[in-house]
């Protein structure tokens, strides 16, 4: 594209006419993707190490949310919320189980 009376092209601040180049980028979902990965890893670690039985469906929900981040971000956000709810409630139930067992003398030798 040539601009008359401008030796080096367009003056500063001018933009090319619309319709050229790439379309503007869509919304970025990096935060949602990162949170989904963190939820997935924490749920898997809780499943393996703590015998947290609610972390299994939490990991499944986090994996499904990770797969839907780009195509359906609202659906992914909802699944991610349920993943965190399952992780937290399983963690609370595990701690409550250890407290009940400790009070009943299961750890006494």
């Amino acid at each position: 594209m040539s601009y008359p009376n401008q030796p080096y092209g367009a003056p500063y601040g001018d933009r090319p006419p619309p319709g050229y180049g790439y379309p503007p980028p869509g919304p970025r979902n990096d935060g949602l993707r990162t949170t989904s990965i963190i939820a997935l890893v924490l749920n898997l670690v809780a499943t393996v190490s703590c015998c947290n039985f609610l972390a299994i469906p939490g990991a499944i929900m986090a994996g499904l949310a990770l797969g839907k981040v780009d195509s359906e971000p609202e659906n992914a956000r909802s699944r991610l919320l349920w993943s965190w709810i399952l992780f937290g409630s399983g963690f609370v139930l595990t701690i409550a189980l250890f407290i009940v067992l400790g009070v009943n003398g299961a750890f006494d030798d």
Side-chain angles (χ1 to χ4, degrees):
M1 177 176 225
S2 159
Y3 292 93
N5 301 327
Q6 296 292 328
Y8 299 110
Y12 180 74
D14 282 355
R15 297 183 180 174
Y20 293 97
Y22 295 104
R28 294 191 55 146
N29 295 319
D30 290 341
L32 186 59
R33 182 182 324 278
T34 303
T35 309
S36 298
I37 292 171
I38 291 170
L40 179 63
V41 169
L42 288 178
N43 276 303
L44 290 175
V45 168
T47 300
V48 173
S49 65
C50 300
C51 301
N52 185 350
F53 61 92
L54 288 178
I56 295 170
I60 293 170
M61 294 300 280
L64 291 173
L66 188 58
K68 298 283 185 181
V69 166
D70 292 326
S71 60
E72 300 173 22
E74 288 303 318
N75 190 357
R77 191 169 284 115
S78 173
R79 291 180 185 198
L80 183 61
L81 177 67
W82 277 107
S83 172
W84 283 114
I85 290 171
L86 287 168
F87 175 74
S89 59
F91 188 70
V92 168
L93 286 175
T94 302
I95 290 175
L97 176 68
F98 278 108
I99 290 173
V100 168
L101 289 175
V103 169
N104 288 332
F107 302 121
D108 294 340
D109 276 337

